[in-house]
Amino acid sequence: MKEAQRAPPPRSVAVTAPCGERIHRQVQDYYGKELQKSEDLKTNACVTSARPLSKAVRDALGRVHEEVVARYYGCGLVIPECLESCRILDLGSGSGRDCYLLSQLVGEQGHVTGIDMTEGQVKVAKKHIAYHMDKFGYQKPNVEFLHGYMEKLSDVGLADESYDIVISNCVINLVPDKRAVLREAYRVLKPGGEMYFSDVYASQRLSEAVQQHRVLWGECLAGALYWRDLYSIAEEMGFSSPCLVTASPITISNKELESIIGDCRFVSATFRLFKVPGSSRAGPGQVIYNGGIVGHERELVFDANFTFKEGEVVDVDAEMAAILRSSRFADEFLIRAGGANAAASQGCCCKGLKEKICDPFQLLERLAAPVPACHPGGTCGPQGCC
């Protein structure tokens, strides 16, 4: 059975693990003392692949200091599009790899803030600020690193509505209080701002034995959120419904850990959430991508449900129309009110909008399935209809 457009989770959501301070200390020790390089990890939960990288991103990554890269434990890369001059906050920035990468993509007029609770990681990141600014040719730093907790951003002085984008790379699972993280992210985002993040998700709510296991916490598994709970928390905090971008399988090559986990499955998934102002919400519409985003001039793969090709009319639901209208993407699209049946007039073999895919495990199955041939006489639309 297909998922509904908005996955409706139960309201009683258990997302706060016991003994939060103890968990914080264990994670700090694990990432500050036990792990010295990414090869020390016992699962691939924090080294799974992301979407293919553009040449600009690959080149920028190649300019990041080797120690910063070696001490980084995130899963893939969380690099959204359309970043010029943006203010970005990286939650759980670790040794600073993504911050230094983003520093180049936002340009000297942009700014990147990284925050991490592990003091040793913050020290590594700060140590290389001068090196990177010199390498990038910047007159003054456009990055800063803060030692603190992502669920307590006000403690380090981060103001309301001060960032265009909040990113996070495989670290929200390490925080006992997921609600607090999303609440703070929503607070510091400007209206129309985006939270773009990868994390580890579970196929079910985790047992007490898993939640109490020290190594499984460090390996990003014991704190993994049941994927349905993300939808209810995002709605509760005021975000748009999560847009599922991509998913990668997680494997555990450790018999002891497998026996504790049991039949629960894990996935690394990327989502994007938007802080959509009420004034931007209207009905469904039709959008045309202008093709102006560097590195995505011909095609913008927005998420698993929407791909926008330059000059092509795409039917979108009310929520996607509001997202595009209110966010930094507004100038990149022609957006107009319209029905959901325009696809039929373009010869598409499916009428109207397709049902959205929300479940990252379902997306894994779809990605692994053979690609179907297009129906004779039909055309494959931007959402992969046929």
Side-chain angles (χ1 to χ4, degrees):
M1 181 180 294
K2 290 184 177 180
E3 292 292 337
Q5 179 167 329
R6 180 186 291 270
R11 300 304 298 175
S12 57
V13 181
V15 294
T16 303
C19 305
E21 289 303 316
R22 175 174 58 82
I23 296 300
H24 275 147
R25 289 194 299 271
Q26 288 180 358
V27 171
Q28 287 169 349
D29 287 344
Y30 199 74
Y31 283 84
K33 298 176 182 178
E34 293 191 32
L35 295 182
Q36 296 301 314
K37 54 187 183 301
S38 58
E39 287 79 5
D40 295 334
L41 292 163
K42 296 176 176 61
T43 74
N44 77 336
C46 292
V47 292
T48 50
S49 60
R51 288 194 289 179
L53 306 179
S54 67
K55 184 179 186 302
V57 171
R58 293 197 305 271
D59 291 346
L61 185 59
R63 290 187 284 269
V64 178
H65 194 281
E66 60 183 10
E67 182 184 12
V68 170
V69 175
R71 292 293 299 274
Y72 193 80
Y73 311 116
C75 42
L77 284 168
V78 284
I79 309 298
E81 317 83 6
C82 205
L83 302 179
E84 183 69 29
S85 300
C86 284
R87 286 182 54 82
I88 300 179
L89 172 63
D90 184 359
L91 303 178
S93 52
S95 62
R97 186 199 68 176
D98 287 1
C99 290
Y100 286 123
L101 174 56
L102 289 163
S103 167
Q104 302 170 71
L105 301 180
V106 300
E108 198 165 4
Q109 301 307 310
H111 183 83
V112 182
T113 300
I115 182 170
D116 200 275
M117 69 175 180
T118 305
E119 190 172 7
Q121 289 283 76
V122 174
K123 285 183 177 179
V124 171
K126 286 184 172 181
K127 183 171 71 172
H128 298 292
I129 291 178
Y131 166 87
H132 288 99
M133 296 305 103
D134 179 66
K135 196 170 188 67
F136 303 161
Y138 294 170
Q139 296 301 308
K140 61 180 181 179
N142 71 343
V143 295
E144 63 176 334
F145 296 98
L146 306 173
H147 180 219
Y149 295 97
M150 68 180 76
E151 65 269 48
K152 299 177 181 179
L153 298 178
S154 58
D155 287 358
V156 292
L158 300 189
D160 295 359
E161 300 184 358
S162 53
Y163 289 93
D164 300 292
I165 305 168
V166 173
I167 70 164
S168 176
N169 193 338
C170 197
V171 290
I172 295 177
N173 63 82
L174 299 174
V175 178
D177 190 350
K178 272 69 170 173
R179 275 191 178 87
V181 175
L182 267 67
R183 184 183 302 115
E184 281 291 86
Y186 189 88
R187 179 182 68 81
V188 302
L189 278 172
K190 300 175 184 178
E194 175 184 13
M195 183 175 182
Y196 186 95
F197 63 108
S198 66
D199 209 52
V200 177
Y201 296 91
S203 60
Q204 61 193 47
R205 296 203 177 97
L206 302 177
S207 69
E208 190 75 12
V210 171
Q211 291 188 51
Q212 296 287 352
H213 198 279
R214 186 184 67 86
V215 172
L216 287 175
W217 265 102
E219 292 288 325
C220 304
L221 300 181
L225 195 63
Y226 174 39
W227 72 269
R228 287 180 180 271
D229 289 343
L230 173 65
Y231 284 80
S232 67
I233 297 173
E235 180 181 6
E236 181 182 335
M237 296 306 141
F239 280 110
S240 61
S241 183
C243 300
L244 174 60
V245 179
T246 189
S248 301
I250 288 176
T251 57
I252 304 165
S253 55
N254 183 297
K255 295 296 184 183
E256 179 185 352
L257 298 183
E258 286 178 347
S259 65
I260 297 169
I261 289 168
D263 61 356
C264 183
R265 295 179 295 145
F266 294 90
V267 63
S268 173
T270 299
F271 285 93
R272 53 199 326 166
L273 311 177
F274 287 85
K275 184 176 181 176
V276 178
S279 59
S280 298
R281 298 184 182 276
Q286 293 180 328
V287 303
I288 301 175
Y289 175 46
N290 299 325
I293 299 176
V294 176
H296 307 271
E297 291 84 357
R298 301 295 299 275
E299 180 179 87
L300 174 63
V301 181
F302 194 84
D303 62 14
N305 295 291
F306 289 101
T307 293
F308 303 107
K309 296 181 180 180
E310 181 188 13
E312 189 170 70
V313 177
V314 179
D315 284 289
V316 296
D317 57 22
E319 189 158 58
M320 181 57 66
I323 287 172
L324 296 177
R325 188 179 295 114
S326 65
S327 68
R328 67 188 188 281
F329 295 99
D331 292 339
E332 312 299 338
F333 286 85
L334 173 64
I335 305 171
R336 63 194 183 199
N341 294 317
S345 65
Q346 298 179 50
C348 184
C349 41
C350 293
K351 292 187 177 182
L353 292 168
K354 293 187 70 177
E355 190 173 38
K356 282 186 177 179
I357 182 169
C358 302
D359 180 350
F361 294 93
Q362 184 184 2
L363 178 58
L364 278 183
E365 294 175 2
R366 179 179 293 185
L367 293 174
V371 178
C374 196
H375 188 279
T379 59
C380 285
Q383 297 182 62
C385 61
C386 292

